[in-house]
């Protein structure tokens, strides 16, 4: 963005970095207590220290997300582009989701069309886009399946994550890609999250000169797709 937003982004990036160090110490000390480094602990203490550890981890995730976003907005995020195999991105993302899918009794599928390598930041596409989308798919699906796929679509490589979950109302389908936008903001909502995942996914897709969108029907499911130009 402009000058003001750049300074704000740089401030946020520095701030996030400063926040991470003490937060890492807190979760590391909590883990040490849980691991018995300070001797045996009662179940009550285990519960409380476990909460400290879990909440610390969530805060670290949030800090990392804010740091990533501010770096991107400051124009300071450098992609590490190299030839990568789109099929491997899908397989790695699916591998990372196996446990989560199994825990919820969801079928996890991949659909892969073999194709030439793509010049892209494989780690960012896999971690920040595909895995983010797949985590959401599992989070918002109670029964059925999650499919991760890739195919050629004219000059693009088209990736998708399809679920049979709660779906997203038409009115929310654009806004969920904005920072902190969540459909359900009630205190009683069942799912955890920061509302930053899709904003970050969109930024990384756009850094690849691609685009991302969702097709969804409430109560039926959602398909998140993103297309990366094959020539970049
Ligand atoms: P978070 O998941 O941390 O809340 P995201 O930016 O990843 O943040 O998603 C924003 C919102 O979009 C979610 O809170 C949810 O309301 C909606 N959403 C995202 N993915 C799905 C999905 N697969 N099915 C239904 N709703 C979704």
């Amino acid at each position: 963005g402009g000058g003001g937003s750049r300074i704000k982004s740089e401030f946020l990036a520095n701030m996030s970095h400063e926040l991470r160090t003490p937060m890492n110490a807190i979760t590391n000390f909590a883990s040490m207590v849980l691991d018995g480094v300070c001797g045996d602990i009662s179940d009550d203490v285990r519960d409380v220290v476990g909460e400290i550890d879990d909440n610390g981890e969530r805060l670290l995730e949030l800090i990392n997300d804010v740091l990533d976003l501010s770096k991107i907005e400051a124009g300071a995020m450098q992609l590490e582009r190299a030839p990568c195999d789109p099929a491997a991105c899908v397989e790695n993302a699916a591998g990372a989701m196996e446990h989560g899918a199994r825990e919820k009794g969801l079928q996890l599928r991949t659909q892969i069309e073999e194709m030439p390598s793509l010049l892209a930041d494989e780690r960012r596409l896999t971690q920040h886009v595909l895995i983010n989308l797949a985590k959401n798919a599992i989070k918002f699906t109670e029964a059925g399946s999650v499919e991760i796929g890739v195919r050629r679509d004219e000059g693009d490589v088209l990736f998708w994550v399809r679920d049979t979950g709660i779906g997203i109302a038409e009115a929310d389908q654009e806004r969920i890609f904005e920072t902190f936008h969540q459909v359900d903001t009630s205190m009683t909502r069942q799912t955890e999250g920061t509302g930053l995942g899709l904003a970050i996914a969109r930024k990384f897709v756009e850094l690849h000169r691609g685009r991302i969108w969702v097709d969804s029907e409430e109560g039926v499911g959602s398909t998140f797709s993103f297309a990366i130009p094959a020539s970049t």
Side-chain angles (χ1 to χ4, degrees), residues 136-137 139-140 163 167-168 176 181-183 193-195 197-198 222 224:
N136 278 345
K139 185 159 76 174
F140 294 104
D163 67 55
I168 301 158
I176 52 171
H181 189 87
Q182 299 177 312
V183 173
T194 61
L198 288 177
S222 309
F224 283 82

Side-chain angles (χ1 to χ4, degrees), residues 65 128-129 132-133 136 176 180 194-202:
D65 284 354
H128 294 280
V129 190
N132 247 333
L133 296 177
N136 278 345
I176 52 171
F180 294 114
T194 61
L196 290 178
L198 288 177
I200 289 172
R202 180 172 71 178

Side-chain angles (χ1 to χ4, degrees), residues 178-196:
E178 292 165 12
T179 44
F180 294 114
H181 189 87
Q182 299 177 312
V183 173
D184 181 1
T185 51
S186 62
M187 294 298 288
T188 53
R189 76 195 165 97
Q190 299 292 308
T191 56
E192 289 178 355
T194 61
L196 290 178

Side-chain angles (χ1 to χ4, degrees), residues 125-142:
L125 275 191
T126 306
Q127 287 285 329
H128 294 280
V129 190
L130 273 177
I131 289 180
N132 247 333
L133 296 177
K135 273 190 187 161
N136 278 345
I138 288 174
K139 185 159 76 174
F140 294 104
T141 303
E142 288 314 315

Side-chain angles (χ1 to χ4, degrees), residues 85-200:
D85 176 12
C89 295
V90 169
E91 264 153 14
N92 290 334
M97 300 325 294
E98 251 167 43
H99 179 74
R102 197 172 329 115
E103 264 192 332
K104 287 190 79 174
L106 301 173
Q107 205 190 104
L108 182 66
R109 280 195 301 261
T110 57
Q111 173 128 12
I112 292 170
E113 183 184 314
E114 295 297 335
M115 66 186 81
S117 66
L118 175 70
L119 198 58
D121 189 328
E122 178 167 353
R123 187 175 65 85
R124 262 70 175 257
L125 275 191
T126 306
Q127 287 285 329
H128 294 280
V129 190
L130 273 177
I131 289 180
N132 247 333
L133 296 177
K135 273 190 187 161
N136 278 345
I138 288 174
K139 185 159 76 174
F140 294 104
T141 303
E142 288 314 315
S145 62
V146 170
E147 179 185 280
I148 311 176
V150 65
R151 65 179 173 82
R152 284 298 285 261
D153 184 36
E154 316 223 323
D156 293 332
V157 177
L158 178 69
F159 293 88
W160 71 88
V161 177
R162 172 172 300 137
D163 67 55
T164 57
I166 62 172
I168 301 158
E170 182 93 45
D172 290 305
Q173 290 178 11
E174 290 267 337
R175 284 185 295 173
I176 52 171
F177 291 98
E178 292 165 12
T179 44
F180 294 114
H181 189 87
Q182 299 177 312
V183 173
D184 181 1
T185 51
S186 62
M187 294 298 288
T188 53
R189 76 195 165 97
Q190 299 292 308
T191 56
E192 289 178 355
T194 61
L196 290 178
L198 288 177
I200 289 172

